[in-house]
Amino acid sequence: MKKPYHVDLPELMRVYETNYAKLNALLPSMHSAEDVRCYQALRMNYQLEVMEVTKYTTLVKICQSDDVAVFPLPTMSVRLYHDARVAEVCSAEQIHRLKPRYDYPNDSMVQKDEKAQTNRFLGDWLTFCLKHGITRAPINIRDRSSS
């Protein structure tokens, strides 16, 4: 008999903290709602869009945008909690609100630890962006399409 899944809260909080630091390295220091930053890592384009700014939080939409998408590209919403200095994935792809744990199997075939996996994926994605030539200046998409 399998043991039931339990959220490893200390590990999840470490992921949230490191994601907060990585994401802050990519966002402008003084950001406001509707700010958009586009970056290029290798030959892939990433877009960070500030959706909402409140006194203690910022909601950011993150997506990969390529000229010709061969497969569905990842998109997620991430909330940064500035007082706690953590960043948590709130929604990803077709999941509008990630739960800490899911029963498995389920109708959507969501993994038991989908939230933890998605937050680790965000961390890997941000590390990739930071390691592989993220540009600090926004990429002007109009210039790129005219070349």
Side-chain angles (χ1 to χ4, degrees), residues 1-75:
M1 189 168 140
K2 289 185 179 182
K3 292 182 182 180
Y5 171 73
H6 294 285
V7 176
D8 183 350
L9 192 56
E11 173 60 24
L12 194 55
M13 290 306 294
R14 279 190 291 277
V15 171
Y16 288 172
E17 289 169 354
T18 57
N19 286 350
Y20 181 87
K22 292 173 189 176
L23 198 47
N24 269 312
L26 299 174
L27 287 172
S29 58
M30 299 300 290
H31 52 268
S32 59
E34 300 181 12
D35 278 352
V36 176
R37 294 288 185 242
C38 296
Y39 297 98
Q40 187 171 8
L42 302 177
R43 287 180 274 169
M44 293 171 272
N45 299 305
Y46 296 90
Q47 179 176 307
L48 304 171
E49 180 179 357
V50 178
M51 304 298 290
E52 172 187 283
V53 177
T54 66
K55 186 174 181 178
Y56 298 108
T57 69
T58 299
L59 181 65
V60 178
K61 178 182 171 188
I62 302 173
C63 63
Q64 183 177 337
S65 57
D66 294 340
D67 292 334
V68 179
V70 177
F71 50 85
L73 299 172
T75 301

Side-chain angles (χ1 to χ4, degrees), residues 41-136:
L42 302 177
R43 287 180 274 169
M44 293 171 272
N45 299 305
Y46 296 90
Q47 179 176 307
L48 304 171
E49 180 179 357
V50 178
M51 304 298 290
E52 172 187 283
V53 177
T54 66
K55 186 174 181 178
Y56 298 108
T57 69
T58 299
L59 181 65
V60 178
K61 178 182 171 188
I62 302 173
C63 63
Q64 183 177 337
S65 57
D66 294 340
D67 292 334
V68 179
V70 177
F71 50 85
L73 299 172
T75 301
M76 60 186 73
S77 298
V78 180
R79 184 160 308 271
L80 289 87
Y81 298 91
H82 303 297
D83 53 345
R85 303 183 63 77
V86 296
E88 171 188 28
V89 176
C90 300
S91 65
E93 302 307 317
Q94 302 301 325
I95 303 172
H96 298 290
R97 184 180 166 273
L98 282 167
K99 296 179 190 175
R101 167 182 104 65
Y102 291 88
D103 291 328
Y104 190 85
N106 54 63
D107 292 341
S108 302
M109 292 307 290
V110 176
Q111 296 296 312
K112 292 186 265 190
D113 63 341
E114 190 77 21
K115 184 170 194 151
Q117 286 186 41
T118 303
N119 279 282
R120 285 192 302 269
F121 172 74
L122 173 63
D124 293 344
W125 196 13
L126 295 171
T127 297
F128 170 78
C129 289
L130 290 166
K131 282 185 177 179
H132 294 284
I134 279 294
T135 58
R136 285 287 174 202

